[in-house]
Amino acid sequence: MSPQKTEASKALLVRYRNDGDDFHILWSARRALRLLDPASGLVGVAIEGPSEAELKNGAGVDAGLLVIDTAEYYGPSLQKLERIVYFQLKYSTTASTTPWPVSGLEATLKGFSKRFKKLRAKKRTFDVRFAFVTNRPISPTVIQAFQGKANDKPTRDTLAKLNKITGLTGAAFADFSACLDFHAEQEPRSQQESKLQAEAAQFIGQADSISVMQMKSLIQRQTTSDAAKRNTITLSQVADALGTLEEDLLPAPARFEKGVKLIPRAQEAAIARSIIGATQPLVIHAGGGIGKSVLAQRLSALMPPASEVVIFDGFASGGYRSARDRRHLHRRGLIHIANTLASRGLCNILIPTRGVGDDAYLQAFRNRLAQASLAVRRRSAKALVLIVLDAADNSVMAANERGEKAFAPDLLQEPPPDGCRLVALARSHRLDLLRLEPGVIRLQLDSFSRDESAAHLAQKFSSADGAAIDRFHKFTDANPRVQANALANSASLAALLPSLGSSIRKVEKLINDQLDAALAKLKSDQHGDKQSIEALCRCLAVLPPLIPLATLARAAGVRIEAE
């Protein structure tokens, strides 16, 4: 062979080696994406060797290190593992159709079996598996030998070679075989990147070449010496590679008032039937304080068995107006609902990603609803996925204040996917904010009936007689919020009844009375510094929550100590 051909051959070998490295990166990037799937149980993916976490929790051994290209860790956390899978990857450009013989697998099997024996001797609470990943097929005699089907001489000869290579025979070899998987004939390197892009698109709502490059870069960094002592990829790193933060995956947590006793309503059964039978979105409306949020929290118990219910808190104890919250946005509200379903293993996670528009989020969200519906109907044919948008009108108000677009009206524009139900709750006089289509079902939630008022009163004062119930029901205007406030401020039934006054108390008047009383007390406590208090009140009325104390002090022109 001429020197020129020799040099050319060597250069080509370098390219073949690069093919293998690229396959390793792409395949591992696809596996790392599964960290986004709560149903997978995957909590860590280590690159170029086992995770440093193994040593920290006492699970690690030093045998077989050189044959571990990737390791996957499953369980509640890296500190509480339930399963480890060790992978070695082998890629061939020139012999992609040639089956692997025993001789070609020798180094891999020696390393795997050494680690198997060391781990087998340790007391551990997790399972261990070993996997060989390749684009080539595996020799049938090798597969048959590991399956215990040594019925002919070639397979018996192969089994003898495997016993010698692994140093295992009989039951020990059978146990090792049970822990070993062959992932043969994987897609070629040229297809791995398109698969990575398609799989990433399932999480981010649209195809994005930048996210693919970021995932490849993440894996590449983990192969360098800089990552030798921290080679484990976790959810936060994958989220970062896709352009978001882990905390932004569930950005709008509910802040429902704690300790509220959920009173069963007479209308519940009819409302539940309407929801179950609906094919269009449904809106439940009422005035302030009638119990819409309480009803929202009771709907879960009223759905068919095995159903899944997600309640989106559009009010968030007033935090919906905060500049830092912005839960009304598509990229926050829809993300939160979808990822709540994903956290229950019902659908793919949805990643908020740069450049994705509201329409793309809506489509991706509907895809998640369809996935979740299929998942719950595998449990029970009648099970439903119910999405409840509490205080949907408040979300629109917050969006309007900022010149932004709320997701709730867009979501209500068309029927939900089959097997899903969509319910929004709002005040009656604000329904126009939701831009409801003619087909949307509207149900009004009534004030408390006398029986419901009686049940509410009996929660604190079980000795109340009929006359007390009548007075309580009438002079609270049968309004659950007014009643709850009256009960909270009364230590006894004897104190409650006179506090109701001689005229019906509307919820708006109740709020005004509370504010007036609080303000009067504050002015009294501050020994006449009324000017500063009034300045603070004006700023609180104008500025959106949540307001930093330093900002409030500057706006009101008072010292921060005064607040």
CSV table of all heavy atoms in Angstrom, one decimal, residues 254-303:
chain,number,residue,atom,x,y,z
A,254,ALA,N,-51.3,27.0,43.0
A,254,ALA,CA,-52.6,27.5,43.6
A,254,ALA,C,-52.3,28.1,45.0
A,254,ALA,O,-51.4,27.6,45.7
A,254,ALA,CB,-53.6,26.3,43.7
A,255,ARG,N,-53.1,29.1,45.4
A,255,ARG,CA,-53.0,29.7,46.7
A,255,ARG,C,-54.3,29.8,47.3
A,255,ARG,O,-54.7,30.9,47.8
A,255,ARG,CB,-52.3,31.1,46.6
A,255,ARG,CG,-50.9,31.0,46.0
A,255,ARG,CD,-50.3,32.4,45.8
A,255,ARG,NE,-49.1,32.4,45.0
A,255,ARG,CZ,-48.6,33.5,44.4
A,255,ARG,NH1,-49.2,34.6,44.5
A,255,ARG,NH2,-47.5,33.4,43.7
A,256,PHE,N,-55.1,28.8,47.2
A,256,PHE,CA,-56.4,28.8,47.8
A,256,PHE,C,-56.3,29.0,49.3
A,256,PHE,O,-55.4,28.5,50.0
A,256,PHE,CB,-57.2,27.5,47.5
A,256,PHE,CG,-57.6,27.3,46.1
A,256,PHE,CD1,-57.1,26.3,45.3
A,256,PHE,CD2,-58.5,28.2,45.5
A,256,PHE,CE1,-57.4,26.2,44.0
A,256,PHE,CE2,-58.9,28.1,44.2
A,256,PHE,CZ,-58.3,27.1,43.4
A,257,GLU,N,-57.3,29.7,49.9
A,257,GLU,CA,-57.4,29.9,51.3
A,257,GLU,C,-57.4,28.6,52.1
A,257,GLU,O,-58.2,27.7,51.7
A,257,GLU,CB,-58.6,30.7,51.6
A,257,GLU,CG,-58.7,31.2,53.1
A,257,GLU,CD,-59.9,32.0,53.4
A,257,GLU,OE1,-60.6,32.4,52.4
A,257,GLU,OE2,-60.3,32.2,54.6
A,258,LYS,N,-56.5,28.5,53.0
A,258,LYS,CA,-56.4,27.2,53.8
A,258,LYS,C,-57.5,27.2,54.9
A,258,LYS,O,-57.9,28.3,55.4
A,258,LYS,CB,-55.0,27.1,54.4
A,258,LYS,CG,-54.0,26.9,53.3
A,258,LYS,CD,-52.6,26.8,54.0
A,258,LYS,CE,-51.5,26.6,52.9
A,258,LYS,NZ,-50.2,26.5,53.5
A,259,GLY,N,-57.9,26.0,55.3
A,259,GLY,CA,-58.8,25.8,56.4
A,259,GLY,C,-60.3,26.1,56.1
A,259,GLY,O,-61.1,26.1,57.0
A,260,VAL,N,-60.6,26.3,54.8
A,260,VAL,CA,-62.0,26.5,54.4
A,260,VAL,C,-62.7,25.2,54.4
A,260,VAL,O,-62.2,24.2,53.8
A,260,VAL,CB,-62.1,27.2,53.0
A,260,VAL,CG1,-63.5,27.3,52.6
A,260,VAL,CG2,-61.4,28.6,53.1
A,261,LYS,N,-63.8,25.1,55.1
A,261,LYS,CA,-64.6,23.9,55.1
A,261,LYS,C,-65.5,23.9,53.9
A,261,LYS,O,-66.3,24.8,53.7
A,261,LYS,CB,-65.4,23.8,56.4
A,261,LYS,CG,-64.5,23.7,57.6
A,261,LYS,CD,-65.4,23.7,58.9
A,261,LYS,CE,-64.5,23.6,60.1
A,261,LYS,NZ,-65.2,23.5,61.4
A,262,LEU,N,-65.4,22.8,53.1
A,262,LEU,CA,-66.1,22.8,51.9
A,262,LEU,C,-67.6,22.3,52.1
A,262,LEU,O,-67.8,21.1,52.3
A,262,LEU,CB,-65.4,21.8,50.9
A,262,LEU,CG,-63.9,22.2,50.7
A,262,LEU,CD1,-63.3,21.3,49.7
A,262,LEU,CD2,-63.7,23.6,50.2
A,263,ILE,N,-68.5,23.2,52.0
A,263,ILE,CA,-69.9,22.8,52.3
A,263,ILE,C,-70.5,22.2,51.0
A,263,ILE,O,-70.4,22.8,49.9
A,263,ILE,CB,-70.7,24.1,52.6
A,263,ILE,CG1,-70.1,24.8,53.8
A,263,ILE,CG2,-72.2,23.8,52.8
A,263,ILE,CD1,-70.4,24.1,55.1
A,264,PRO,N,-71.1,21.0,51.1
A,264,PRO,CA,-71.8,20.4,49.9
A,264,PRO,C,-72.9,21.3,49.5
A,264,PRO,O,-73.6,21.9,50.4
A,264,PRO,CB,-72.3,19.1,50.5
A,264,PRO,CG,-71.4,18.8,51.7
A,264,PRO,CD,-71.1,20.1,52.3
A,265,ARG,N,-73.1,21.5,48.2
A,265,ARG,CA,-74.1,22.4,47.7
A,265,ARG,C,-75.2,21.5,47.1
A,265,ARG,O,-75.0,20.5,46.4
A,265,ARG,CB,-73.6,23.3,46.6
A,265,ARG,CG,-72.4,24.2,47.1
A,265,ARG,CD,-72.9,25.2,48.2
A,265,ARG,NE,-74.0,26.0,47.9
A,265,ARG,CZ,-73.9,27.2,47.3
A,265,ARG,NH1,-72.7,27.7,47.0
A,265,ARG,NH2,-75.0,27.9,47.0
A,266,ALA,N,-76.5,22.0,47.2
A,266,ALA,CA,-77.6,21.3,46.6
A,266,ALA,C,-77.5,21.2,45.1
A,266,ALA,O,-78.0,20.3,44.5
A,266,ALA,CB,-78.9,22.0,47.0
A,267,GLN,N,-76.8,22.2,44.5
A,267,GLN,CA,-76.7,22.2,43.0
A,267,GLN,C,-75.6,21.3,42.5
A,267,GLN,O,-75.5,21.1,41.3
A,267,GLN,CB,-76.4,23.6,42.6
A,267,GLN,CG,-77.6,24.6,42.7
A,267,GLN,CD,-77.1,26.0,42.2
A,267,GLN,OE1,-76.7,26.8,43.0
A,267,GLN,NE2,-77.2,26.3,40.9
A,268,GLU,N,-74.8,20.8,43.4
A,268,GLU,CA,-73.6,20.0,42.9
A,268,GLU,C,-74.0,18.9,42.0
A,268,GLU,O,-73.3,18.7,40.9
A,268,GLU,CB,-72.9,19.5,44.1
A,268,GLU,CG,-72.1,20.5,44.8
A,268,GLU,CD,-71.3,19.9,46.0
A,268,GLU,OE1,-71.4,18.7,46.2
A,268,GLU,OE2,-70.6,20.6,46.7
A,269,ALA,N,-75.0,18.1,42.3
A,269,ALA,CA,-75.3,16.9,41.5
A,269,ALA,C,-75.7,17.3,40.1
A,269,ALA,O,-75.2,16.7,39.1
A,269,ALA,CB,-76.4,16.1,42.1
A,270,ALA,N,-76.5,18.4,40.0
A,270,ALA,CA,-76.9,18.8,38.6
A,270,ALA,C,-75.8,19.4,37.9
A,270,ALA,O,-75.6,19.2,36.6
A,270,ALA,CB,-78.0,19.9,38.8
A,271,ILE,N,-74.9,20.2,38.6
A,271,ILE,CA,-73.7,20.8,37.9
A,271,ILE,C,-72.8,19.7,37.4
A,271,ILE,O,-72.3,19.7,36.3
A,271,ILE,CB,-73.0,21.7,38.9
A,271,ILE,CG1,-73.8,23.0,39.1
A,271,ILE,CG2,-71.6,22.1,38.3
A,271,ILE,CD1,-73.3,23.9,40.1
A,272,ALA,N,-72.6,18.6,38.2
A,272,ALA,CA,-71.7,17.5,37.9
A,272,ALA,C,-72.3,16.8,36.6
A,272,ALA,O,-71.5,16.5,35.7
A,272,ALA,CB,-71.5,16.6,39.0
A,273,ARG,N,-73.6,16.6,36.6
A,273,ARG,CA,-74.2,15.9,35.4
A,273,ARG,C,-74.0,16.8,34.2
A,273,ARG,O,-73.7,16.2,33.1
A,273,ARG,CB,-75.7,15.7,35.7
A,273,ARG,CG,-76.0,14.5,36.6
A,273,ARG,CD,-77.5,14.1,36.6
A,273,ARG,NE,-78.4,15.2,36.9
A,273,ARG,CZ,-78.8,15.5,38.2
A,273,ARG,NH1,-78.3,14.7,39.2
A,273,ARG,NH2,-79.6,16.5,38.4
A,274,SER,N,-74.1,18.1,34.3
A,274,SER,CA,-73.9,18.9,33.2
A,274,SER,C,-72.5,18.9,32.6
A,274,SER,O,-72.2,18.9,31.4
A,274,SER,CB,-74.2,20.4,33.5
A,274,SER,OG,-75.6,20.5,33.8
A,275,ILE,N,-71.5,18.8,33.6
A,275,ILE,CA,-70.1,18.8,33.2
A,275,ILE,C,-69.8,17.4,32.5
A,275,ILE,O,-69.2,17.4,31.4
A,275,ILE,CB,-69.2,18.9,34.4
A,275,ILE,CG1,-69.3,20.3,35.0
A,275,ILE,CG2,-67.8,18.6,34.1
A,275,ILE,CD1,-68.6,20.5,36.3
A,276,ILE,N,-70.3,16.4,33.1
A,276,ILE,CA,-70.0,15.0,32.5
A,276,ILE,C,-70.6,14.9,31.1
A,276,ILE,O,-70.0,14.3,30.2
A,276,ILE,CB,-70.5,13.9,33.5
A,276,ILE,CG1,-69.7,14.0,34.8
A,276,ILE,CG2,-70.5,12.6,32.8
A,276,ILE,CD1,-70.3,13.1,35.9
A,277,GLY,N,-71.8,15.4,30.9
A,277,GLY,CA,-72.5,15.3,29.7
A,277,GLY,C,-72.1,16.3,28.6
A,277,GLY,O,-72.6,16.3,27.5
A,278,ALA,N,-71.3,17.3,29.0
A,278,ALA,CA,-71.0,18.4,28.1
A,278,ALA,C,-70.0,18.0,27.0
A,278,ALA,O,-69.1,17.2,27.2
A,278,ALA,CB,-70.4,19.6,28.9
A,279,THR,N,-70.2,18.6,25.8
A,279,THR,CA,-69.2,18.5,24.7
A,279,THR,C,-68.6,19.9,24.4
A,279,THR,O,-67.6,19.9,23.6
A,279,THR,CB,-69.9,17.9,23.5
A,279,THR,OG1,-71.0,18.8,23.1
A,279,THR,CG2,-70.4,16.5,23.7
A,280,GLN,N,-69.1,20.9,25.1
A,280,GLN,CA,-68.6,22.3,24.9
A,280,GLN,C,-68.0,22.7,26.2
A,280,GLN,O,-68.3,22.2,27.3
A,280,GLN,CB,-69.7,23.2,24.5
A,280,GLN,CG,-70.3,22.9,23.1
A,280,GLN,CD,-69.4,23.3,22.0
A,280,GLN,OE1,-68.6,24.2,22.1
A,280,GLN,NE2,-69.5,22.6,20.8
A,281,PRO,N,-67.2,23.8,26.2
A,281,PRO,CA,-66.8,24.4,27.5
A,281,PRO,C,-68.0,24.8,28.3
A,281,PRO,O,-69.1,25.1,27.8
A,281,PRO,CB,-66.0,25.6,27.1
A,281,PRO,CG,-65.5,25.3,25.7
A,281,PRO,CD,-66.6,24.5,25.1
A,282,LEU,N,-67.8,24.9,29.6
A,282,LEU,CA,-68.9,25.2,30.5
A,282,LEU,C,-68.5,26.3,31.5
A,282,LEU,O,-67.4,26.3,32.0
A,282,LEU,CB,-69.4,24.0,31.3
A,282,LEU,CG,-70.6,24.0,32.1
A,282,LEU,CD1,-71.3,22.7,32.1
A,282,LEU,CD2,-70.3,24.4,33.6
A,283,VAL,N,-69.3,27.3,31.7
A,283,VAL,CA,-69.0,28.4,32.6
A,283,VAL,C,-70.0,28.4,33.7
A,283,VAL,O,-71.2,28.5,33.5
A,283,VAL,CB,-69.0,29.8,31.9
A,283,VAL,CG1,-68.8,30.9,32.9
A,283,VAL,CG2,-67.9,29.8,30.8
A,284,ILE,N,-69.4,28.4,35.0
A,284,ILE,CA,-70.3,28.6,36.2
A,284,ILE,C,-70.1,30.0,36.7
A,284,ILE,O,-68.9,30.4,36.9
A,284,ILE,CB,-69.8,27.5,37.2
A,284,ILE,CG1,-70.0,26.1,36.7
A,284,ILE,CG2,-70.7,27.7,38.5
A,284,ILE,CD1,-69.5,25.0,37.6
A,285,HIS,N,-71.1,30.7,36.9
A,285,HIS,CA,-71.0,32.1,37.2
A,285,HIS,C,-71.9,32.4,38.4
A,285,HIS,O,-72.9,31.8,38.7
A,285,HIS,CB,-71.4,33.1,36.1
A,285,HIS,CG,-72.8,32.9,35.6
A,285,HIS,ND1,-73.8,33.8,36.0
A,285,HIS,CD2,-73.3,32.1,34.7
A,285,HIS,CE1,-74.9,33.4,35.4
A,285,HIS,NE2,-74.7,32.4,34.6
A,286,ALA,N,-71.5,33.5,39.2
A,286,ALA,CA,-72.2,33.9,40.3
A,286,ALA,C,-71.6,35.2,40.8
A,286,ALA,O,-70.6,35.7,40.3
A,286,ALA,CB,-72.2,32.9,41.5
A,287,GLY,N,-72.3,35.9,41.8
A,287,GLY,CA,-71.8,37.1,42.3
A,287,GLY,C,-70.6,36.8,43.3
A,287,GLY,O,-70.2,35.7,43.5
A,288,GLY,N,-70.1,37.9,43.9
A,288,GLY,CA,-69.0,37.7,44.8
A,288,GLY,C,-69.4,37.0,46.1
A,288,GLY,O,-70.5,37.2,46.6
A,289,GLY,N,-68.5,36.1,46.5
A,289,GLY,CA,-68.7,35.4,47.8
A,289,GLY,C,-69.7,34.3,47.8
A,289,GLY,O,-70.1,33.7,48.8
A,290,ILE,N,-70.2,33.9,46.6
A,290,ILE,CA,-71.3,32.9,46.6
A,290,ILE,C,-70.7,31.5,46.7
A,290,ILE,O,-71.3,30.5,47.0
A,290,ILE,CB,-72.1,33.0,45.2
A,290,ILE,CG1,-72.8,34.3,45.2
A,290,ILE,CG2,-73.1,31.9,45.1
A,290,ILE,CD1,-73.7,34.5,46.3
A,291,GLY,N,-69.4,31.3,46.5
A,291,GLY,CA,-68.7,30.0,46.7
A,291,GLY,C,-68.2,29.3,45.5
A,291,GLY,O,-68.1,28.1,45.4
A,292,LYS,N,-67.8,30.1,44.5
A,292,LYS,CA,-67.3,29.5,43.2
A,292,LYS,C,-66.0,28.8,43.5
A,292,LYS,O,-65.9,27.6,43.0
A,292,LYS,CB,-67.1,30.6,42.2
A,292,LYS,CG,-68.4,31.4,41.8
A,292,LYS,CD,-68.1,32.4,40.7
A,292,LYS,CE,-67.3,33.6,41.2
A,292,LYS,NZ,-67.8,34.3,42.3
A,293,SER,N,-65.1,29.3,44.2
A,293,SER,CA,-63.8,28.7,44.5
A,293,SER,C,-64.0,27.4,45.3
A,293,SER,O,-63.3,26.4,45.1
A,293,SER,CB,-62.8,29.6,45.1
A,293,SER,OG,-62.5,30.7,44.3
A,294,VAL,N,-64.9,27.5,46.2
A,294,VAL,CA,-65.2,26.3,47.1
A,294,VAL,C,-65.8,25.2,46.2
A,294,VAL,O,-65.4,24.0,46.3
A,294,VAL,CB,-66.1,26.6,48.2
A,294,VAL,CG1,-66.6,25.4,49.0
A,294,VAL,CG2,-65.4,27.6,49.2
A,295,LEU,N,-66.7,25.5,45.3
A,295,LEU,CA,-67.3,24.6,44.4
A,295,LEU,C,-66.2,24.0,43.5
A,295,LEU,O,-66.2,22.7,43.3
A,295,LEU,CB,-68.4,25.2,43.5
A,295,LEU,CG,-69.0,24.3,42.4
A,295,LEU,CD1,-69.8,23.2,43.0
A,295,LEU,CD2,-69.9,25.1,41.5
A,296,ALA,N,-65.3,24.8,43.0
A,296,ALA,CA,-64.2,24.3,42.1
A,296,ALA,C,-63.4,23.2,42.8
A,296,ALA,O,-63.0,22.2,42.2
A,296,ALA,CB,-63.3,25.5,41.8
A,297,GLN,N,-63.2,23.4,44.1
A,297,GLN,CA,-62.4,22.4,44.9
A,297,GLN,C,-63.2,21.1,45.2
A,297,GLN,O,-62.6,20.1,45.6
A,297,GLN,CB,-61.9,23.1,46.2
A,297,GLN,CG,-60.9,24.2,45.9
A,297,GLN,CD,-60.5,24.9,47.2
A,297,GLN,OE1,-59.8,24.4,48.0
A,297,GLN,NE2,-61.1,26.2,47.3
A,298,ARG,N,-64.5,21.2,45.1
A,298,ARG,CA,-65.3,20.0,45.3
A,298,ARG,C,-65.6,19.2,44.1
A,298,ARG,O,-66.1,18.1,44.2
A,298,ARG,CB,-66.7,20.4,46.0
A,298,ARG,CG,-66.5,20.8,47.4
A,298,ARG,CD,-67.9,21.0,48.1
A,298,ARG,NE,-68.8,19.8,47.9
A,298,ARG,CZ,-68.7,18.7,48.6
A,298,ARG,NH1,-67.8,18.6,49.6
A,298,ARG,NH2,-69.6,17.7,48.4
A,299,LEU,N,-65.3,19.8,42.9
A,299,LEU,CA,-65.7,19.1,41.7
A,299,LEU,C,-64.9,17.8,41.5
A,299,LEU,O,-65.5,16.8,40.9
A,299,LEU,CB,-65.4,20.0,40.5
A,299,LEU,CG,-66.4,21.2,40.3
A,299,LEU,CD1,-66.0,22.0,39.1
A,299,LEU,CD2,-67.8,20.7,40.1
A,300,SER,N,-63.7,17.7,42.0
A,300,SER,CA,-63.0,16.4,41.8
A,300,SER,C,-63.7,15.2,42.4
A,300,SER,O,-63.7,14.2,41.7
A,300,SER,CB,-61.6,16.6,42.6
A,300,SER,OG,-60.9,15.4,42.5
A,301,ALA,N,-64.4,15.4,43.5
A,301,ALA,CA,-65.1,14.3,44.1
A,301,ALA,C,-66.4,13.9,43.4
A,301,ALA,O,-67.0,12.9,43.7
A,301,ALA,CB,-65.4,14.6,45.6
A,302,LEU,N,-66.8,14.8,42.5
A,302,LEU,CA,-68.1,14.6,41.8
A,302,LEU,C,-67.9,13.9,40.4
A,302,LEU,O,-68.9,13.6,39.7
A,302,LEU,CB,-68.8,15.9,41.6
A,302,LEU,CG,-69.1,16.7,42.9
A,302,LEU,CD1,-69.6,18.0,42.6
A,302,LEU,CD2,-70.0,15.9,43.8
A,303,MET,N,-66.7,13.7,40.0
A,303,MET,CA,-66.4,13.2,38.6
A,303,MET,C,-66.4,11.6,38.7
A,303,MET,O,-66.3,11.1,39.8
A,303,MET,CB,-65.1,13.7,38.1
A,303,MET,CG,-65.1,15.2,37.8
A,303,MET,SD,-66.2,15.7,36.5
A,303,MET,CE,-67.6,16.4,37.5
